[in-house]
Amino acid sequence: MATAPEDLLTAWTALLHRCGATTDPEPYGRELLRRWSEPQRRYHSVAHLRAVLGHVDELAGHAADPDTVRLAAWFHDAVYRPDRTENEERSAALAVRALTAAGLPAERVTEVERLVLLTVDHDPAPGDRDGEVLCDADLAVLGGTPEAYAAYAAAVREEYGFVPEPDFRAGRTAVLRHLLALPALYRSPAARERFTGAARTNLTAELDTL
């Protein structure tokens, strides 16, 4: 990436200042955006980061601490290698290192770490309002139009282009079945009302093709 998206960089810098940063957050914002722009990313890209942050804003009224959720959104896929299985754990560890170095309070850093780790299986505990908002924002793509969902699914397949088709189908089937088996795909009232029907239709339709 030649230059960082300046609107996202501005939003990051303002967020870190609101959350108590004691160092200049801009350099690390540029580093984060560089990570989100890595060439192996087809779906988990700057566009995904932007979409998740937008959905967090829309659902912020449900969150206990919207800015902590925004921090977690910035880091939730900051480490992303399709050939690895510990991306969320590495992303959470990156958040701890970066936010501690920025001078944020330890309690907030620990909460960001916890929220990022929730995106392993998107199953927050009942009443975990911040976890619900982050997971709902991350899964909002499932509730898009059939065309948008098809583009998402195709981008995910591109990210896993190194995986043979039979193995990809088996792995993708397991992911879709896990999502459909969750007690609820969406936990916040607004996301549940807006996305649930379309998401279940989209997931079921893709599963039928595998």
Coordinates of all heavy atoms in Angstrom, one line a residue, residues 1 5 22 33-34 45 55 59 81 86 88 95 101 107 119 125 143 181-182 188:
M1 N 0.9 -1.2 0.0 CA 0.0 0.0 0.0 C 0.9 1.2 0.0 O 1.7 1.4 0.9 CB -0.9 0.0 1.2 CG -1.8 1.2 1.4 SD -2.9 1.0 2.8 CE -1.7 0.9 4.1
P5 N -5.2 4.7 3.9 CA -6.4 5.4 3.8 C -6.5 6.5 4.9 O -6.6 6.1 6.1 CB -7.5 4.3 4.0 CG -6.8 3.0 3.7 CD -5.4 3.3 4.1
T22 N -0.6 7.5 25.3 CA 0.4 8.5 25.8 C 1.5 8.7 24.8 O 2.5 9.4 25.1 CB 1.0 8.0 27.2 OG1 1.5 6.7 27.0 CG2 -0.1 8.0 28.2
L33 N -2.6 -0.6 9.1 CA -3.2 -0.6 7.8 C -2.3 -1.3 6.8 O -2.8 -1.9 5.8 CB -3.5 0.9 7.4 CG -4.6 1.5 8.1 CD1 -4.6 3.0 8.0 CD2 -6.0 0.9 7.7
R34 N -1.0 -1.3 7.0 CA -0.1 -2.1 6.1 C -0.5 -3.6 6.3 O -0.5 -4.3 5.3 CB 1.3 -1.8 6.5 CG 2.3 -2.6 5.6 CD 3.7 -2.7 6.2 NE 3.7 -3.5 7.4 CZ 3.6 -4.8 7.4 NH1 3.5 -5.5 6.3 NH2 3.7 -5.5 8.6
S45 N -9.5 -7.8 4.3 CA -8.7 -6.7 3.8 C -9.1 -5.4 4.5 O -10.0 -5.4 5.4 CB -9.0 -6.5 2.3 OG -10.4 -6.2 2.1
H55 N -20.1 -1.2 11.0 CA -21.2 -1.9 11.7 C -21.1 -1.7 13.2 O -22.1 -1.6 13.9 CB -21.2 -3.4 11.4 CG -21.6 -3.7 10.0 ND1 -22.8 -3.3 9.5 CD2 -21.0 -4.3 9.0 CE1 -23.0 -3.8 8.3 NE2 -21.8 -4.3 7.9
L59 N -24.1 -0.3 15.7 CA -24.6 -1.0 16.8 C -24.1 -0.5 18.1 O -24.3 -1.1 19.2 CB -24.1 -2.5 16.7 CG -24.6 -3.2 15.4 CD1 -23.9 -4.6 15.3 CD2 -26.1 -3.4 15.5
R81 N -3.1 -15.1 8.2 CA -2.4 -16.0 7.2 C -3.4 -17.2 7.0 O -3.6 -18.0 7.9 CB -1.1 -16.5 7.8 CG 0.0 -15.5 7.8 CD 0.7 -15.4 6.4 NE 1.3 -16.6 6.0 CZ 2.5 -17.1 6.4 NH1 3.2 -16.3 7.1 NH2 2.9 -18.2 5.9
E86 N -3.9 -20.1 14.0 CA -3.9 -19.3 15.2 C -3.9 -17.8 15.0 O -3.4 -17.0 15.7 CB -2.7 -19.7 16.1 CG -1.3 -19.2 15.5 CD -0.8 -20.1 14.4 OE1 -1.5 -21.0 13.9 OE2 0.3 -19.8 14.0
E88 N -6.3 -15.5 15.2 CA -7.0 -14.7 16.3 C -6.1 -14.6 17.5 O -6.0 -13.5 18.1 CB -8.3 -15.3 16.6 CG -9.4 -15.2 15.6 CD -9.3 -16.4 14.6 OE1 -8.4 -17.3 14.7 OE2 -10.1 -16.4 13.6
A95 N -2.4 -7.0 19.7 CA -3.2 -6.0 20.4 C -2.6 -5.6 21.7 O -2.4 -4.5 22.1 CB -4.6 -6.3 20.5
A101 N 2.2 -0.6 24.6 CA 3.2 0.3 24.2 C 2.6 1.7 24.0 O 3.3 2.7 24.2 CB 3.9 -0.1 22.9
E107 N -6.5 -2.5 32.0 CA -7.8 -3.1 32.0 C -8.4 -3.1 30.6 O -9.0 -4.0 30.2 CB -8.7 -2.4 33.0 CG -8.3 -2.5 34.5 CD -7.2 -1.5 34.8 OE1 -6.8 -0.7 34.0 OE2 -6.8 -1.5 36.0
T119 N -13.6 -13.8 18.5 CA -13.9 -14.0 17.1 C -13.3 -15.3 16.6 O -13.5 -15.6 15.4 CB -13.3 -12.8 16.2 OG1 -11.9 -12.8 16.3 CG2 -13.9 -11.5 16.6
A125 N -20.8 -14.9 25.6 CA -21.7 -15.3 26.6 C -23.0 -14.3 26.7 O -22.9 -13.1 26.3 CB -21.0 -15.2 28.0
G143 N -25.2 -11.6 6.2 CA -26.6 -11.1 6.0 C -26.8 -10.1 4.9 O -27.8 -9.4 4.9
A181 N -25.3 -23.6 13.5 CA -25.6 -24.3 14.8 C -25.5 -23.4 16.0 O -25.9 -23.8 17.1 CB -24.7 -25.5 15.0
L182 N -25.0 -22.2 15.8 CA -24.9 -21.2 16.9 C -26.3 -21.0 17.5 O -27.3 -21.0 16.8 CB -24.3 -19.9 16.5 CG -22.8 -19.9 16.2 CD1 -22.4 -18.6 15.6 CD2 -22.0 -20.2 17.4
S188 N -27.2 -8.8 19.2 CA -27.8 -7.5 19.5 C -29.1 -7.4 18.7 O -29.3 -7.9 17.6 CB -26.9 -6.4 19.0 OG -26.6 -6.4 17.6

